[in-house]
Amino acid sequence: MKNLITAAIAALGIAVSAVSATAADWTPPGPIKLMIAFGAGGGADTQARLIAEELEARTGWQLIPEQVTGKGGVNLLKAMKDMPNDGSVIGMVVTESLTYNLYSADAGMTPADFTGLTTTAGFQMGVVSQSSKGWTSINDAIAAAKAGEQIRFGVMTPRLGDLAFLLGKAQGVEFNIISVKGGKAVMNGVTAGDMDMGFMAGIQGKGVAAGDLVNLASALSTPLVQTPDAPTFADLGVAFDSDGYFMFAGPGGMPDDARTALSDAIAAIASDPETKAGGLIKRAFGGASIIKGAELDALTAKGFSESETLIKAASE
């Protein structure tokens, strides 16, 4: 038995070495087009470009970033779907792009039409207000709504609009839901006083640390790293959450060696707080969250199939 175990371990070591060697030996056929689903200059765009910069420094690959925005990443996915799957084209989106957004767009595509590479960071999605409002918890906002105040609630995606509606429904109030493009627009609306509160996915960290902003609630299935005492949506009677990740993907059917090389290289940078990209992820999101391979495929497939349930709940 001992010999069998030793042989199995040795075989596993050989297999792992072979995969590592394959990944290390892979090189792209030319420059890599990096499509970015976020507006230029925002936090997500900065993350993507810093990862590209570090990839070039570490591997010698050439990356050419370009913005392909709109429809929560669906425009990027449509553009990328039929491009070469040899590793010469990749895109940065969010998991919501491949799940709720793709489902609700009825675009004739599923997550199986794409090759998931790796996630980099999980959202720190909070419901945020200015501290000057005097609210310390979402319960204060709900109490204000029940007292007759119209609460303007900023959201940046249709899925978050559904979650805002379900939060109000669970608490017996109706929010004035304001849809804008991007988390930066929500933050601008909240800080300018045009919104009373809104969803922010990590961009609020610096303001919360400075005492200018308050995380009223966690829209995640878990507490926020920065303010773990803020109630979760589950605590507030909402059966859904906004769990999600920034992720890289490519066209479907990417060869295993290309997928492994790209996934491992991107994940290593995101996980290293000594890099500019890793430092940004550490500050904004509490550190990297890496999901790759079959686990990532299962995550997006599950999110896509569950989108119908969320949409139905929000329309009742």
Side-chain angles (χ1 to χ4, degrees), residues 180-222:
V180 295
K181 293 182 179 180
K184 188 174 182 180
V186 173
M187 171 173 274
N188 290 342
V190 169
T191 55
D194 298 326
M195 303 172 188
D196 298 296
M197 61 186 189
F199 284 112
M200 300 182 202
I203 194 173
Q204 75 273 26
K206 186 175 181 181
V208 171
D212 300 323
L213 299 172
V214 179
N215 280 319
L216 302 175
S218 169
L220 307 174
S221 60
T222 57

PDB file of all heavy atoms in Angstrom, residues 180-222:
ATOM      1  N   VAL A 180     -27.859  54.588 -12.745  1.00  0.00           N
ATOM      2  CA  VAL A 180     -26.776  55.350 -13.369  1.00  0.00           C
ATOM      3  C   VAL A 180     -25.742  54.370 -13.922  1.00  0.00           C
ATOM      4  O   VAL A 180     -25.848  53.161 -13.696  1.00  0.00           O
ATOM      5  CB  VAL A 180     -26.106  56.322 -12.371  1.00  0.00           C
ATOM      6  CG1 VAL A 180     -27.086  57.401 -11.926  1.00  0.00           C
ATOM      7  CG2 VAL A 180     -25.577  55.558 -11.156  1.00  0.00           C
ATOM      8  N   LYS A 181     -24.762  54.895 -14.616  1.00  0.00           N
ATOM      9  CA  LYS A 181     -23.737  54.045 -15.218  1.00  0.00           C
ATOM     10  C   LYS A 181     -22.483  54.028 -14.356  1.00  0.00           C
ATOM     11  O   LYS A 181     -21.748  55.006 -14.313  1.00  0.00           O
ATOM     12  CB  LYS A 181     -23.399  54.528 -16.628  1.00  0.00           C
ATOM     13  CG  LYS A 181     -24.538  54.370 -17.624  1.00  0.00           C
ATOM     14  CD  LYS A 181     -24.122  54.820 -19.017  1.00  0.00           C
ATOM     15  CE  LYS A 181     -25.247  54.630 -20.023  1.00  0.00           C
ATOM     16  NZ  LYS A 181     -24.852  55.058 -21.394  1.00  0.00           N
ATOM     17  N   GLY A 182     -22.268  52.923 -13.665  1.00  0.00           N
ATOM     18  CA  GLY A 182     -21.015  52.732 -12.940  1.00  0.00           C
ATOM     19  C   GLY A 182     -21.051  53.150 -11.489  1.00  0.00           C
ATOM     20  O   GLY A 182     -21.805  54.041 -11.081  1.00  0.00           O
ATOM     21  N   GLY A 183     -20.198  52.487 -10.699  1.00  0.00           N
ATOM     22  CA  GLY A 183     -20.121  52.784  -9.272  1.00  0.00           C
ATOM     23  C   GLY A 183     -19.635  54.192  -8.980  1.00  0.00           C
ATOM     24  O   GLY A 183     -20.026  54.798  -7.980  1.00  0.00           O
ATOM     25  N   LYS A 184     -18.792  54.730  -9.864  1.00  0.00           N
ATOM     26  CA  LYS A 184     -18.310  56.101  -9.661  1.00  0.00           C
ATOM     27  C   LYS A 184     -19.463  57.085  -9.746  1.00  0.00           C
ATOM     28  O   LYS A 184     -19.510  58.070  -9.000  1.00  0.00           O
ATOM     29  CB  LYS A 184     -17.233  56.425 -10.693  1.00  0.00           C
ATOM     30  CG  LYS A 184     -16.524  57.744 -10.451  1.00  0.00           C
ATOM     31  CD  LYS A 184     -15.363  57.943 -11.412  1.00  0.00           C
ATOM     32  CE  LYS A 184     -14.628  59.239 -11.131  1.00  0.00           C
ATOM     33  NZ  LYS A 184     -13.488  59.448 -12.079  1.00  0.00           N
ATOM     34  N   ALA A 185     -20.415  56.817 -10.654  1.00  0.00           N
ATOM     35  CA  ALA A 185     -21.574  57.703 -10.784  1.00  0.00           C
ATOM     36  C   ALA A 185     -22.449  57.632  -9.535  1.00  0.00           C
ATOM     37  O   ALA A 185     -23.027  58.646  -9.114  1.00  0.00           O
ATOM     38  CB  ALA A 185     -22.384  57.331 -12.023  1.00  0.00           C
ATOM     39  N   VAL A 186     -22.555  56.446  -8.942  1.00  0.00           N
ATOM     40  CA  VAL A 186     -23.300  56.333  -7.680  1.00  0.00           C
ATOM     41  C   VAL A 186     -22.598  57.128  -6.583  1.00  0.00           C
ATOM     42  O   VAL A 186     -23.226  57.889  -5.844  1.00  0.00           O
ATOM     43  CB  VAL A 186     -23.456  54.863  -7.253  1.00  0.00           C
ATOM     44  CG1 VAL A 186     -24.085  54.772  -5.862  1.00  0.00           C
ATOM     45  CG2 VAL A 186     -24.318  54.095  -8.249  1.00  0.00           C
ATOM     46  N   MET A 187     -21.286  56.957  -6.488  1.00  0.00           N
ATOM     47  CA  MET A 187     -20.552  57.705  -5.461  1.00  0.00           C
ATOM     48  C   MET A 187     -20.701  59.208  -5.669  1.00  0.00           C
ATOM     49  O   MET A 187     -20.919  59.961  -4.699  1.00  0.00           O
ATOM     50  CB  MET A 187     -19.071  57.328  -5.485  1.00  0.00           C
ATOM     51  CG  MET A 187     -18.214  58.226  -4.589  1.00  0.00           C
ATOM     52  SD  MET A 187     -16.510  57.667  -4.448  1.00  0.00           S
ATOM     53  CE  MET A 187     -16.674  56.500  -3.113  1.00  0.00           C
ATOM     54  N   ASN A 188     -20.602  59.657  -6.909  1.00  0.00           N
ATOM     55  CA  ASN A 188     -20.761  61.087  -7.184  1.00  0.00           C
ATOM     56  C   ASN A 188     -22.151  61.565  -6.783  1.00  0.00           C
ATOM     57  O   ASN A 188     -22.309  62.662  -6.233  1.00  0.00           O
ATOM     58  CB  ASN A 188     -20.519  61.373  -8.667  1.00  0.00           C
ATOM     59  CG  ASN A 188     -19.066  61.215  -9.069  1.00  0.00           C
ATOM     60  OD1 ASN A 188     -18.176  61.221  -8.225  1.00  0.00           O
ATOM     61  ND2 ASN A 188     -18.815  61.060 -10.366  1.00  0.00           N
ATOM     62  N   GLY A 189     -23.157  60.743  -7.062  1.00  0.00           N
ATOM     63  CA  GLY A 189     -24.523  61.106  -6.705  1.00  0.00           C
ATOM     64  C   GLY A 189     -24.728  61.199  -5.204  1.00  0.00           C
ATOM     65  O   GLY A 189     -25.390  62.116  -4.707  1.00  0.00           O
ATOM     66  N   VAL A 190     -24.145  60.247  -4.481  1.00  0.00           N
ATOM     67  CA  VAL A 190     -24.271  60.246  -3.021  1.00  0.00           C
ATOM     68  C   VAL A 190     -23.517  61.427  -2.412  1.00  0.00           C
ATOM     69  O   VAL A 190     -24.039  62.147  -1.545  1.00  0.00           O
ATOM     70  CB  VAL A 190     -23.765  58.912  -2.434  1.00  0.00           C
ATOM     71  CG1 VAL A 190     -23.628  58.996  -0.916  1.00  0.00           C
ATOM     72  CG2 VAL A 190     -24.718  57.772  -2.807  1.00  0.00           C
ATOM     73  N   THR A 191     -22.286  61.656  -2.862  1.00  0.00           N
ATOM     74  CA  THR A 191     -21.497  62.739  -2.267  1.00  0.00           C
ATOM     75  C   THR A 191     -22.030  64.120  -2.644  1.00  0.00           C
ATOM     76  O   THR A 191     -21.863  65.085  -1.890  1.00  0.00           O
ATOM     77  CB  THR A 191     -20.017  62.623  -2.681  1.00  0.00           C
ATOM     78  OG1 THR A 191     -19.923  62.588  -4.119  1.00  0.00           O
ATOM     79  CG2 THR A 191     -19.405  61.352  -2.123  1.00  0.00           C
ATOM     80  N   ALA A 192     -22.701  64.202  -3.802  1.00  0.00           N
ATOM     81  CA  ALA A 192     -23.278  65.483  -4.214  1.00  0.00           C
ATOM     82  C   ALA A 192     -24.645  65.730  -3.576  1.00  0.00           C
ATOM     83  O   ALA A 192     -25.191  66.827  -3.697  1.00  0.00           O
ATOM     84  CB  ALA A 192     -23.416  65.529  -5.732  1.00  0.00           C
ATOM     85  N   GLY A 193     -25.177  64.720  -2.917  1.00  0.00           N
ATOM     86  CA  GLY A 193     -26.490  64.868  -2.300  1.00  0.00           C
ATOM     87  C   GLY A 193     -27.642  64.600  -3.246  1.00  0.00           C
ATOM     88  O   GLY A 193     -28.804  64.832  -2.891  1.00  0.00           O
ATOM     89  N   ASP A 194     -27.362  64.120  -4.448  1.00  0.00           N
ATOM     90  CA  ASP A 194     -28.418  63.801  -5.402  1.00  0.00           C
ATOM     91  C   ASP A 194     -29.048  62.441  -5.108  1.00  0.00           C
ATOM     92  O   ASP A 194     -30.115  62.114  -5.636  1.00  0.00           O
ATOM     93  CB  ASP A 194     -27.866  63.793  -6.826  1.00  0.00           C
ATOM     94  CG  ASP A 194     -27.335  65.159  -7.242  1.00  0.00           C
ATOM     95  OD1 ASP A 194     -27.914  66.175  -6.801  1.00  0.00           O
ATOM     96  OD2 ASP A 194     -26.338  65.200  -7.990  1.00  0.00           O
ATOM     97  N   MET A 195     -28.380  61.631  -4.327  1.00  0.00           N
ATOM     98  CA  MET A 195     -28.893  60.342  -3.861  1.00  0.00           C
ATOM     99  C   MET A 195     -28.695  60.270  -2.355  1.00  0.00           C
ATOM    100  O   MET A 195     -27.706  60.794  -1.827  1.00  0.00           O
ATOM    101  CB  MET A 195     -28.142  59.180  -4.531  1.00  0.00           C
ATOM    102  CG  MET A 195     -28.179  59.175  -6.031  1.00  0.00           C
ATOM    103  SD  MET A 195     -27.072  57.890  -6.680  1.00  0.00           S
ATOM    104  CE  MET A 195     -27.116  58.274  -8.443  1.00  0.00           C
ATOM    105  N   ASP A 196     -29.618  59.621  -1.698  1.00  0.00           N
ATOM    106  CA  ASP A 196     -29.487  59.468  -0.246  1.00  0.00           C
ATOM    107  C   ASP A 196     -28.577  58.305   0.114  1.00  0.00           C
ATOM    108  O   ASP A 196     -27.902  58.325   1.147  1.00  0.00           O
ATOM    109  CB  ASP A 196     -30.867  59.261   0.377  1.00  0.00           C
ATOM    110  CG  ASP A 196     -31.776  60.455   0.135  1.00  0.00           C
ATOM    111  OD1 ASP A 196     -31.445  61.542   0.653  1.00  0.00           O
ATOM    112  OD2 ASP A 196     -32.780  60.307  -0.591  1.00  0.00           O
ATOM    113  N   MET A 197     -28.572  57.296  -0.731  1.00  0.00           N
ATOM    114  CA  MET A 197     -27.700  56.144  -0.514  1.00  0.00           C
ATOM    115  C   MET A 197     -27.588  55.394  -1.839  1.00  0.00           C
ATOM    116  O   MET A 197     -28.338  55.672  -2.784  1.00  0.00           O
ATOM    117  CB  MET A 197     -28.245  55.221   0.583  1.00  0.00           C
ATOM    118  CG  MET A 197     -29.609  54.621   0.291  1.00  0.00           C
ATOM    119  SD  MET A 197     -30.234  53.706   1.727  1.00  0.00           S
ATOM    120  CE  MET A 197     -31.684  52.911   1.008  1.00  0.00           C
ATOM    121  N   GLY A 198     -26.639  54.491  -1.916  1.00  0.00           N
ATOM    122  CA  GLY A 198     -26.478  53.748  -3.162  1.00  0.00           C
ATOM    123  C   GLY A 198     -25.520  52.594  -2.998  1.00  0.00           C
ATOM    124  O   GLY A 198     -24.767  52.507  -2.020  1.00  0.00           O
ATOM    125  N   PHE A 199     -25.573  51.696  -3.967  1.00  0.00           N
ATOM    126  CA  PHE A 199     -24.656  50.563  -3.982  1.00  0.00           C
ATOM    127  C   PHE A 199     -23.269  51.006  -4.421  1.00  0.00           C
ATOM    128  O   PHE A 199     -23.117  51.724  -5.409  1.00  0.00           O
ATOM    129  CB  PHE A 199     -25.145  49.499  -4.970  1.00  0.00           C
ATOM    130  CG  PHE A 199     -26.309  48.680  -4.487  1.00  0.00           C
ATOM    131  CD1 PHE A 199     -27.548  48.806  -5.084  1.00  0.00           C
ATOM    132  CD2 PHE A 199     -26.154  47.769  -3.452  1.00  0.00           C
ATOM    133  CE1 PHE A 199     -28.623  48.039  -4.679  1.00  0.00           C
ATOM    134  CE2 PHE A 199     -27.230  46.986  -3.029  1.00  0.00           C
ATOM    135  CZ  PHE A 199     -28.469  47.125  -3.638  1.00  0.00           C
ATOM    136  N   MET A 200     -22.254  50.568  -3.698  1.00  0.00           N
ATOM    137  CA  MET A 200     -20.857  50.770  -4.098  1.00  0.00           C
ATOM    138  C   MET A 200     -20.116  49.481  -3.815  1.00  0.00           C
ATOM    139  O   MET A 200     -20.334  48.847  -2.785  1.00  0.00           O
ATOM    140  CB  MET A 200     -20.230  51.949  -3.348  1.00  0.00           C
ATOM    141  CG  MET A 200     -20.925  53.283  -3.580  1.00  0.00           C
ATOM    142  SD  MET A 200     -20.107  54.649  -2.720  1.00  0.00           S
ATOM    143  CE  MET A 200     -21.458  55.843  -2.634  1.00  0.00           C
ATOM    144  N   ALA A 201     -19.206  49.102  -4.736  1.00  0.00           N
ATOM    145  CA  ALA A 201     -18.603  47.768  -4.691  1.00  0.00           C
ATOM    146  C   ALA A 201     -17.155  47.763  -4.217  1.00  0.00           C
ATOM    147  O   ALA A 201     -16.386  46.888  -4.575  1.00  0.00           O
ATOM    148  CB  ALA A 201     -18.691  47.125  -6.070  1.00  0.00           C
ATOM    149  N   GLY A 202     -16.778  48.735  -3.401  1.00  0.00           N
ATOM    150  CA  GLY A 202     -15.411  48.828  -2.911  1.00  0.00           C
ATOM    151  C   GLY A 202     -14.841  50.215  -3.057  1.00  0.00           C
ATOM    152  O   GLY A 202     -13.914  50.604  -2.342  1.00  0.00           O
ATOM    153  N   ILE A 203     -15.407  50.984  -3.988  1.00  0.00           N
ATOM    154  CA  ILE A 203     -14.949  52.342  -4.231  1.00  0.00           C
ATOM    155  C   ILE A 203     -15.141  53.226  -3.003  1.00  0.00           C
ATOM    156  O   ILE A 203     -14.480  54.254  -2.841  1.00  0.00           O
ATOM    157  CB  ILE A 203     -15.697  52.935  -5.452  1.00  0.00           C
ATOM    158  CG1 ILE A 203     -15.022  54.203  -5.952  1.00  0.00           C
ATOM    159  CG2 ILE A 203     -17.162  53.182  -5.151  1.00  0.00           C
ATOM    160  CD1 ILE A 203     -15.615  54.733  -7.244  1.00  0.00           C
ATOM    161  N   GLN A 204     -16.037  52.793  -2.102  1.00  0.00           N
ATOM    162  CA  GLN A 204     -16.341  53.583  -0.910  1.00  0.00           C
ATOM    163  C   GLN A 204     -15.297  53.441   0.194  1.00  0.00           C
ATOM    164  O   GLN A 204     -15.338  54.154   1.195  1.00  0.00           O
ATOM    165  CB  GLN A 204     -17.713  53.181  -0.337  1.00  0.00           C
ATOM    166  CG  GLN A 204     -17.754  51.839   0.400  1.00  0.00           C
ATOM    167  CD  GLN A 204     -17.995  50.655  -0.508  1.00  0.00           C
ATOM    168  OE1 GLN A 204     -17.680  50.693  -1.687  1.00  0.00           O
ATOM    169  NE2 GLN A 204     -18.582  49.604   0.044  1.00  0.00           N
ATOM    170  N   GLY A 205     -14.349  52.511   0.041  1.00  0.00           N
ATOM    171  CA  GLY A 205     -13.439  52.186   1.129  1.00  0.00           C
ATOM    172  C   GLY A 205     -12.703  53.366   1.722  1.00  0.00           C
ATOM    173  O   GLY A 205     -12.637  53.533   2.941  1.00  0.00           O
ATOM    174  N   LYS A 206     -12.136  54.190   0.872  1.00  0.00           N
ATOM    175  CA  LYS A 206     -11.362  55.336   1.355  1.00  0.00           C
ATOM    176  C   LYS A 206     -12.253  56.317   2.105  1.00  0.00           C
ATOM    177  O   LYS A 206     -11.887  56.846   3.160  1.00  0.00           O
ATOM    178  CB  LYS A 206     -10.681  56.029   0.178  1.00  0.00           C
ATOM    179  CG  LYS A 206      -9.732  57.139   0.558  1.00  0.00           C
ATOM    180  CD  LYS A 206      -9.003  57.683  -0.670  1.00  0.00           C
ATOM    181  CE  LYS A 206      -8.028  58.790  -0.296  1.00  0.00           C
ATOM    182  NZ  LYS A 206      -7.326  59.331  -1.507  1.00  0.00           N
ATOM    183  N   GLY A 207     -13.461  56.574   1.570  1.00  0.00           N
ATOM    184  CA  GLY A 207     -14.380  57.497   2.222  1.00  0.00           C
ATOM    185  C   GLY A 207     -14.881  56.977   3.552  1.00  0.00           C
ATOM    186  O   GLY A 207     -15.059  57.730   4.518  1.00  0.00           O
ATOM    187  N   VAL A 208     -15.112  55.651   3.629  1.00  0.00           N
ATOM    188  CA  VAL A 208     -15.537  55.050   4.894  1.00  0.00           C
ATOM    189  C   VAL A 208     -14.423  55.163   5.920  1.00  0.00           C
ATOM    190  O   VAL A 208     -14.657  55.507   7.090  1.00  0.00           O
ATOM    191  CB  VAL A 208     -15.953  53.577   4.684  1.00  0.00           C
ATOM    192  CG1 VAL A 208     -16.175  52.881   6.018  1.00  0.00           C
ATOM    193  CG2 VAL A 208     -17.219  53.491   3.831  1.00  0.00           C
ATOM    194  N   ALA A 209     -13.189  54.881   5.483  1.00  0.00           N
ATOM    195  CA  ALA A 209     -12.053  54.974   6.402  1.00  0.00           C
ATOM    196  C   ALA A 209     -11.855  56.393   6.919  1.00  0.00           C
ATOM    197  O   ALA A 209     -11.475  56.608   8.081  1.00  0.00           O
ATOM    198  CB  ALA A 209     -10.783  54.489   5.701  1.00  0.00           C
ATOM    199  N   ALA A 210     -12.159  57.375   6.062  1.00  0.00           N
ATOM    200  CA  ALA A 210     -11.996  58.782   6.453  1.00  0.00           C
ATOM    201  C   ALA A 210     -13.165  59.296   7.281  1.00  0.00           C
ATOM    202  O   ALA A 210     -13.097  60.408   7.836  1.00  0.00           O
ATOM    203  CB  ALA A 210     -11.826  59.640   5.205  1.00  0.00           C
ATOM    204  N   GLY A 211     -14.239  58.520   7.354  1.00  0.00           N
ATOM    205  CA  GLY A 211     -15.402  58.953   8.106  1.00  0.00           C
ATOM    206  C   GLY A 211     -16.386  59.781   7.324  1.00  0.00           C
ATOM    207  O   GLY A 211     -17.356  60.297   7.883  1.00  0.00           O
ATOM    208  N   ASP A 212     -16.180  59.904   6.027  1.00  0.00           N
ATOM    209  CA  ASP A 212     -17.080  60.692   5.182  1.00  0.00           C
ATOM    210  C   ASP A 212     -18.272  59.888   4.685  1.00  0.00           C
ATOM    211  O   ASP A 212     -19.322  60.449   4.372  1.00  0.00           O
ATOM    212  CB  ASP A 212     -16.319  61.254   3.979  1.00  0.00           C
ATOM    213  CG  ASP A 212     -15.171  62.164   4.387  1.00  0.00           C
ATOM    214  OD1 ASP A 212     -15.336  62.913   5.374  1.00  0.00           O
ATOM    215  OD2 ASP A 212     -14.118  62.111   3.729  1.00  0.00           O
ATOM    216  N   LEU A 213     -18.102  58.581   4.573  1.00  0.00           N
ATOM    217  CA  LEU A 213     -19.149  57.686   4.095  1.00  0.00           C
ATOM    218  C   LEU A 213     -19.413  56.599   5.129  1.00  0.00           C
ATOM    219  O   LEU A 213     -18.549  56.299   5.960  1.00  0.00           O
ATOM    220  CB  LEU A 213     -18.743  57.045   2.761  1.00  0.00           C
ATOM    221  CG  LEU A 213     -18.494  57.982   1.573  1.00  0.00           C
ATOM    222  CD1 LEU A 213     -17.911  57.202   0.399  1.00  0.00           C
ATOM    223  CD2 LEU A 213     -19.783  58.687   1.162  1.00  0.00           C
ATOM    224  N   VAL A 214     -20.593  56.002   5.029  1.00  0.00           N
ATOM    225  CA  VAL A 214     -20.984  54.940   5.969  1.00  0.00           C
ATOM    226  C   VAL A 214     -21.516  53.749   5.182  1.00  0.00           C
ATOM    227  O   VAL A 214     -22.389  53.908   4.311  1.00  0.00           O
ATOM    228  CB  VAL A 214     -22.082  55.422   6.945  1.00  0.00           C
ATOM    229  CG1 VAL A 214     -22.486  54.296   7.887  1.00  0.00           C
ATOM    230  CG2 VAL A 214     -21.619  56.631   7.726  1.00  0.00           C
ATOM    231  N   ASN A 215     -20.991  52.557   5.466  1.00  0.00           N
ATOM    232  CA  ASN A 215     -21.580  51.335   4.949  1.00  0.00           C
ATOM    233  C   ASN A 215     -22.804  50.998   5.799  1.00  0.00           C
ATOM    234  O   ASN A 215     -22.671  50.554   6.939  1.00  0.00           O
ATOM    235  CB  ASN A 215     -20.576  50.185   5.004  1.00  0.00           C
ATOM    236  CG  ASN A 215     -19.589  50.190   3.865  1.00  0.00           C
ATOM    237  OD1 ASN A 215     -19.951  50.459   2.724  1.00  0.00           O
ATOM    238  ND2 ASN A 215     -18.340  49.886   4.151  1.00  0.00           N
ATOM    239  N   LEU A 216     -23.986  51.225   5.250  1.00  0.00           N
ATOM    240  CA  LEU A 216     -25.214  50.980   6.001  1.00  0.00           C
ATOM    241  C   LEU A 216     -25.572  49.504   6.064  1.00  0.00           C
ATOM    242  O   LEU A 216     -26.197  49.043   7.020  1.00  0.00           O
ATOM    243  CB  LEU A 216     -26.379  51.744   5.363  1.00  0.00           C
ATOM    244  CG  LEU A 216     -26.227  53.256   5.247  1.00  0.00           C
ATOM    245  CD1 LEU A 216     -27.416  53.845   4.486  1.00  0.00           C
ATOM    246  CD2 LEU A 216     -26.120  53.898   6.632  1.00  0.00           C
ATOM    247  N   ALA A 217     -25.217  48.762   5.013  1.00  0.00           N
ATOM    248  CA  ALA A 217     -25.541  47.343   4.946  1.00  0.00           C
ATOM    249  C   ALA A 217     -24.584  46.659   3.989  1.00  0.00           C
ATOM    250  O   ALA A 217     -24.003  47.297   3.102  1.00  0.00           O
ATOM    251  CB  ALA A 217     -26.985  47.133   4.478  1.00  0.00           C
ATOM    252  N   SER A 218     -24.422  45.364   4.176  1.00  0.00           N
ATOM    253  CA  SER A 218     -23.688  44.544   3.227  1.00  0.00           C
ATOM    254  C   SER A 218     -24.682  43.896   2.275  1.00  0.00           C
ATOM    255  O   SER A 218     -25.616  43.228   2.715  1.00  0.00           O
ATOM    256  CB  SER A 218     -22.903  43.442   3.958  1.00  0.00           C
ATOM    257  OG  SER A 218     -22.403  42.496   3.040  1.00  0.00           O
ATOM    258  N   ALA A 219     -24.482  44.105   0.985  1.00  0.00           N
ATOM    259  CA  ALA A 219     -25.340  43.461  -0.010  1.00  0.00           C
ATOM    260  C   ALA A 219     -24.795  42.096  -0.398  1.00  0.00           C
ATOM    261  O   ALA A 219     -25.261  41.488  -1.359  1.00  0.00           O
ATOM    262  CB  ALA A 219     -25.466  44.350  -1.244  1.00  0.00           C
ATOM    263  N   LEU A 220     -23.822  41.604   0.352  1.00  0.00           N
ATOM    264  CA  LEU A 220     -23.215  40.306   0.106  1.00  0.00           C
ATOM    265  C   LEU A 220     -23.865  39.243   0.970  1.00  0.00           C
ATOM    266  O   LEU A 220     -24.641  39.535   1.879  1.00  0.00           O
ATOM    267  CB  LEU A 220     -21.716  40.365   0.406  1.00  0.00           C
ATOM    268  CG  LEU A 220     -20.900  41.461  -0.287  1.00  0.00           C
ATOM    269  CD1 LEU A 220     -19.472  41.454   0.234  1.00  0.00           C
ATOM    270  CD2 LEU A 220     -20.930  41.272  -1.792  1.00  0.00           C
ATOM    271  N   SER A 221     -23.477  37.994   0.725  1.00  0.00           N
ATOM    272  CA  SER A 221     -23.938  36.907   1.586  1.00  0.00           C
ATOM    273  C   SER A 221     -23.128  36.852   2.871  1.00  0.00           C
ATOM    274  O   SER A 221     -23.447  36.087   3.790  1.00  0.00           O
ATOM    275  CB  SER A 221     -23.830  35.568   0.848  1.00  0.00           C
ATOM    276  OG  SER A 221     -22.482  35.305   0.480  1.00  0.00           O
ATOM    277  N   THR A 222     -22.080  37.655   2.931  1.00  0.00           N
ATOM    278  CA  THR A 222     -21.206  37.721   4.098  1.00  0.00           C
ATOM    279  C   THR A 222     -21.033  39.181   4.525  1.00  0.00           C
ATOM    280  O   THR A 222     -21.304  40.092   3.745  1.00  0.00           O
ATOM    281  CB  THR A 222     -19.818  37.127   3.774  1.00  0.00           C
ATOM    282  OG1 THR A 222     -19.263  37.842   2.664  1.00  0.00           O
ATOM    283  CG2 THR A 222     -19.924  35.646   3.444  1.00  0.00           C
TER     284      THR A 222
END
